[in-house]
Amino acid sequence: MVEFGKKLGRTETTIPGLVVVDLPVHGDSRGWFKENWQREKMASLRLPDLGPVQNNISFNDAAGTTRGIHAEPWDKWVSVATGRIFGAWVDMREGPSFGAVYTTEVDPSRAVYVPRGVGNSYQTLEPDTSYTYLVNDHWSEDASYSFLNLADETVAIPWPIPLHEGQVSAKDLEHPRLAEITPIPERKTLVVGADGQLGLALREEFAGTSGFEYVSRKDFDISSPENIKARRWRDYGVIINAAAYTAVDAAETAAGRREAWVANVTGVAHLARIAIDNGLTLVQVSSDYVFDGTSNVAYTEDDRVCPLSVYGQTKAAADAIVQTVPKHYVARTSWVVGAGKNFVQTMIDLAERGIDPAVVDDQIGRLTFTAELARGIRHLLTSDAEPGIYNITGGGEPLSWMQIARRVYELAGHDPQRVKGVPTAEYYASANGPVAPRPANSVLDLGKLTETGFHAEDHEVALATYVSGRLRPSDSA
């Protein structure tokens, strides 16, 4: 008997991510009608956007027909068209909830959202029962499946109709016990550009965390469309794009412009397509160069972009592409310092060699050490922050490049007055080759990030730590 008049609602279960949903069913003398899956309404219940690619129907002649327990590497939306079923679900994913069990009856007025890796099993309670399930991936022999015996003593499912009295396939009766199965691993995270400055910092930030895969350009060229089919993407949950063309001045040349657009735009478009088609979260790193730097205040995430350079144009274009991905984070940053060649290391080297440099004094911003940027990205992924753009830089008071250079000299034990300040125009007046215009104001407002619970380290404190770690023992004595 169908229960009419329910309000749309959700019920949490003992298995994380497994949700029971009450569906309004409208009936009269002709029969009944329901919206079995309505995307906007399901989103209002905070259900994941299933994005179904297949709709399957299982018809069962007799009461007591029992199927399962099968755990597949995709999400399912299970509902009943006619009759009633007793549903039993077992968490077969890696983690603390492995082996957790939930059971309930399902009629046409209920549905169940079953996340990837949770074992499904159903027993019909009436003859001529049909249940349907939407899935968000196609069957693949390369996918990782797990199976559990319906009669497993560990989970002890209380079947309303004893298994020996019902209809069960010989194959289902041969499935292993819980102690013998291989848990389904969590979806993997792919870090692209893992050998660059940020990639190395991400390796360190997520060291010891399972499920991370790191690839460099030689392993995975994001500008190649072949990579769209290179992996079983439903096995991934997140792509962090740490790859980029960052030769700001070279991008102003004909060859550099082409390379910058291929790496920073075409490649990102490929990643966005993968993320959209497979329901992945895409993390993209943006830049202060998307702004012209004419603002008198710090730039927020909502300020309109107005890039001055080719590099800035490519990053702005990538930002727009990534924002078409339902699950995305754009980590906008500035003045990045990491392993290898960088401004701070250059100043340390000049100080030790006795050189008194001229440094621009009319560009202001905050340093962002790659460790801090990696920490911010991790926070966005683990804090359930809303998708969108987030400024991630060091905290504290903004400084000019000259002020930072003088601070480096002082921290390294040298006279900071050896650093001379010059306007940008004068600094680049004698440059050989094209020079990309720089934003004068690169300060990014951190308020939105702070509201998510992240507190950026003061960039001057981080600078002191960095410099002390780079000095030879004789320099710091």
Side-chain angles (χ1 to χ4, degrees), residues 233-252:
W233 289 109
R234 285 288 179 179
D235 291 338
Y236 294 80
V238 178
I239 298 176
I240 303 175
N241 182 26
Y245 181 97
T246 58
V248 176
D249 292 328
E252 299 295 320

Side-chain angles (χ1 to χ4, degrees), residues 339-361:
K341 184 179 179 182
N342 60 69
F343 176 82
V344 176
Q345 185 61 57
T346 297
M347 291 300 108
I348 295 173
D349 294 341
L350 293 179
E352 292 177 347
R353 290 161 51 196
I355 297 176
D356 301 342
V359 180
V360 296
D361 59 7

Side-chain angles (χ1 to χ4, degrees), residues 82-227:
T82 60
R84 289 183 303 127
I85 63 172
F86 172 83
W89 295 269
V90 181
D91 198 339
M92 295 160 68
R93 301 170 293 186
E94 289 180 344
S97 60
F98 176 73
V101 180
Y102 181 79
T103 64
T104 192
E105 286 192 16
V106 181
D107 65 14
S109 68
R110 303 185 90 187
V112 183
Y113 191 98
V114 186
R116 171 187 183 273
V118 173
N120 318 261
S121 54
Y122 312 104
Q123 184 177 83
T124 58
L125 301 179
E126 298 177 3
D128 300 330
T129 291
S130 295
Y131 57 86
T132 71
Y133 48 100
L134 304 175
V135 295
N136 59 5
D137 197 10
H138 299 103
W139 181 88
S140 169
E141 62 182 8
D142 298 327
S144 176
Y145 305 87
S146 284
F147 305 96
L148 177 64
N149 198 291
L150 292 162
D152 180 78
E153 300 81 3
T154 307
V155 299
I157 295 171
W159 299 108
I161 300 173
L163 294 176
H164 67 275
E165 297 179 10
Q167 300 291 326
V168 185
S169 72
K171 188 174 181 179
D172 282 352
L173 289 173
E174 294 173 356
H175 291 328
R177 263 46 181 186
L178 189 66
E180 302 169 341
I181 71 170
T182 300
I184 291 183
E186 294 183 3
R187 286 187 173 96
K188 296 182 285 187
T189 295
L190 181 68
V191 178
V192 180
D195 289 345
Q197 288 192 17
L198 176 57
L200 294 174
L202 289 166
R203 287 178 185 267
E204 186 170 344
E205 176 66 31
F206 290 101
T209 304
S210 62
F212 273 71
E213 184 179 329
Y214 300 91
V215 292
S216 62
R217 182 174 180 178
K218 62 182 177 63
D219 305 316
F220 187 87
D221 183 358
I222 64 174
S223 66
S224 170
E226 294 303 314
N227 284 318

Side-chain angles (χ1 to χ4, degrees), residues 288 291 293 295-300 303 332-335 363-366 391 393-394 396-400 439-446:
D288 58 299
F291 299 117
S295 175
N296 294 322
V297 296
Y299 284 97
T300 72
D303 286 327
R332 186 167 285 156
T333 191
S334 67
W335 295 16
Q363 297 174 30
I364 62 167
R366 300 189 191 98
N391 294 334
T393 72
E397 289 299 316
L399 299 172
S400 70
N441 177 14
S442 292
V443 184
L444 303 180
D445 187 283
L446 301 179

